[in-house]
Amino acid sequence: MADKPPKRERPVFTDKEALLYHSRGRPGKIAVVPTKPMATQRDLSLAYSPGVAAPVLAIAENASLAYDYTVKGNMVAVITNGTAILGLGNLGALAAKPVMEGKATLFKRFADIDSIDLEIDTQEVEAFIAAVRYLGPSFGGINLEDIKAPECFIIEERLRELMDIPVFHDDQHGTAIISSAGLLNALHLTGRDIKNTRLVCNGAGAAGIACLDLAKAIGFAPQNVTLCDTKGVVYRGRSEGMNQWKSAHAVDTDARTLAEALDGADIFFGLSVKGALTPEMLKTMAPDPIIFAMANPDPEITPEEALAARPDAIVATGRSDYPNQINNVLGFPYIFRGALDVRAKTINMEMKIAAAKALAELAREDVPDEVANAYQGARPRFGRDYLIPAPFDPRLISIVSPAVAKAAMDSGVARHPIVDMNAYRAELSARRDPIAGLMHTIYDRVRRDPKRVVFAEGEEEQVIRAALSFVTQGLGRAILVGREDRVAQTARNAGLELGDHIEVHNAKLSSRNGVYAQFLFERLQRKGFLFRDCQRLINTDRNHFAAAMVAQGDADAMVTGVTRNFSNALEDVRHVVDQKPGHRLIGASLVLAHGRIVVVADTAITEMPEAADLADIAIEAAGVARRIGLEPRVAMLAFSTFGYPPGERTARMHESVRVLDSRRVDFEYEGEMAADVALSRQAMAAYPFSRLSDTANVLVMPAFHSASISTKMLQELGGATVLGPLIVGLDKPIQIVQLGATDADIVNMAALAAFGVGG
C-alpha cells in the first residue's frame, strides 16, 4: 500500500487575523492592473482616444475580433446572489463578496485567468437571469457560485440557453468533476467494474444532483445509483419533497432510509451534513467501501471514525487536513482555461468527463518536488490516501486544460480549434512557470538529438527522479553514478522503477576505473597529486568520476550540485575538464521577468574582472543569448551612464567597450550604463546616440558580487525567475545546479547540458 501523506493541521487563526488580512493595505483581494504602457501621451492616445477607435470599428465589423483586441477571451465573471455562501447559508449578495473575490484570485493564481466578481442583489430567479444574460459581450465565461438549489438549476439551464459563452455553476459541477476523478481511482484500486458498482448519494442539492449526473455519464448503471435526501430514499412513486431534478434519479427500490440503501453498497457519496453516516451503517457496506464524506466544514463521518469501523475503507473528505481532499480548485481554473482557449460556446458533459479522467490519470503519476514540499517534504504516492492530485501540482494546467480543450473540439462546441496541442501544453506550462516556455524549445532540440547524460549524485532521491523524468520526456539516456544497492534501495523507498534507459555505474567497480584514474593522474601529476590520490578521487568522488566519463567520451554531458556547493563542485570538475580553447569560463544566469529573458554575466566565476576580462565575458554571454534564440544586445552595466558620475569601476566598463570595438564583434553592445537605461526604452531615449537598437537582453555586470546580489534580489523581491548560474566556456557540456535543487531544476540543467548551452 502507498505511503500515507502526513496529516495536515488545519490553519489556526482568529477572526481578528482574518479581518486584518482582508483590510490591511488596499482593502479586499483583487485589483485591476493595466497590461499596456501608460507612460507617455502617445501611450494614452493609443489606449483611449483616438487610437481606441481602430479596434472598435474592427469589432463592430467582426465580433470575433473582440478576442484579439480585448481581454474578453481571458476574462471570467464570478457571479452570485449569496443564497448559499459556503456552509453559512443565505447571507445575501454583499456578504458573499469576500468569497467571490477569493474565487477571482484563484482563477488568476492557478490558470492565469483574469476574473471579476459580481454580486447581484436579488433572490428572484427571473431577475437574476435578466441581470446576467446581457453580460455576454464583456466576458469569455460565467462562473456561478453559492446559489441555493433548486434555483441554481433553473438559473444555469436558462443562462446556458440564452448565452453563447460557457456558464458553469461550480458548486454543482466542480464537486462532481473532482469527486469523479477520485472515484475512478478508488474503483481502480479496489478492482471494481463500474457497471456493477452500487453508489449511494446522501444529499440532493446542487452538488449531489450534479455528482449523480456525472457518475452515470462516466459509466455507472442508473439502477445501481441511489439518491437520498432529508426524507430518505428518492424512489419512484415518492411525492413528498420532490422536484424534477430529484425525479430524474428516482429508482425502483424497497429501501426507504439511508441505512437500508447502504446495506451492501460499494460507495457512499455524502453532500449533506455532519454525522449523516454512522459507523453502524458503514459496517453493512461491501468490502473495501469507498467513502466520500464531502460535507463542509465537518464531514458526514470523520476518517478516524470511518477507519475504526471499517479499516478496509477508502476515505475522502472536503477538508485539507485529511488525505484525499475534494477541492474544487483542482477543476474550475483549468476547465475554464481550456474552454476559453478554444472559445467554447458552453461547457458540456464531454468536457467534464475529460477533466475528471485527466485528473485521475495525473494522480497515478510520480509527483514532482513542488507537491512533496506542500506535504512538508513527505512525497505522496498513488494509493488509498492519494487518489486526487494536490492543488499545487504544477502539471495540472498542462494536463487538464488541454483535455478539456480537446473534448470541446471533438464535441463541436469550440469556435477556435487548437492546431498544435504540444505547443499549447508548452504555452500553458509557461503561464505557471516562465522557465517552461524557454525550456520547451530546448527540450525539442534535445529530443531531436538525444544525449547520454550522467547524473553524478545518483544515490539521491531527487536525482533519481530527475533521471527518470529526463528519460520519460524523451531527452535521452540517463547514467546514475552510485552504488547499485544504494540506488536500488532509494528507488524502492521512493516507489520508483528504474527502466532500461537508466544505467547505474559504481565508480569503484567500473571497468573504466583504471582508465579514468590514469587520465586524471596525467592531468594532475604536476599539480601535487600522486597516482593514489587520483585513484582515490575516481573511486570515491562522484564528480571526478562523472566528469571523467564525459571527458573520455563515455557520456555526452553531466549535471551535479545537489549535495555540494557550486564552487566546490566546479573545482572538482575543473580537475578533469579544461576551458574550451579560445573561450573564457564564466557563469551566466537567465532572468525571466514580465515576459522578457535577460542573460546576466558573470554570476559565478570572475570576482573582479578587468576591462579585457569584461569584453571576454560579454562575448561568451552573447553566445549564450544566441544559443537560446536571442539576437544579443549587450549592455556593460555600471552605477553611472556614459561618464556620469565617474568612478574606477565605471572606467573599466567604459574601457571594455573600447576592447570590444577593437575585436570587431558581431553583436550590438554599449556602455557604460545604468541598469534602468539598459532595460527601459523611456530611459534610453535620453541617449539617442546609444548604439543599442532596443533594450538590452544581455547584461554584463562590473563584478561577480554585483551580478550575484542583483539576480538573487530580483528573484526574491522582484518576482523574477532565475535559471543558473550556467557554466559557459568549458570544453565539455557540464552544468551545476544549486545546492538542494528540485528534480525539475535538475532536469532543466541536464537538458541545458545536453543542449550545449554552455558553449
Side-chain angles (χ1 to χ4, degrees), residues 627-651:
R627 283 190 287 279
I628 63 172
L630 302 176
E631 187 56 39
R633 296 184 298 275
V634 179
M636 312 301 289
L637 293 190
F639 66 86
S640 65
T641 300
F642 300 122
Y644 184 82
E648 180 186 357
R649 295 308 304 170
T650 291

Side-chain angles (χ1 to χ4, degrees), residues 354 358-359 361-362 365 395-404 425 428:
L359 285 167
E361 290 167 6
L362 180 58
E365 296 184 12
R395 300 168 298 178
L396 283 161
I397 192 169
S398 59
I399 296 295
V400 180
S401 298
V404 171
R425 291 186 186 94
L428 292 172

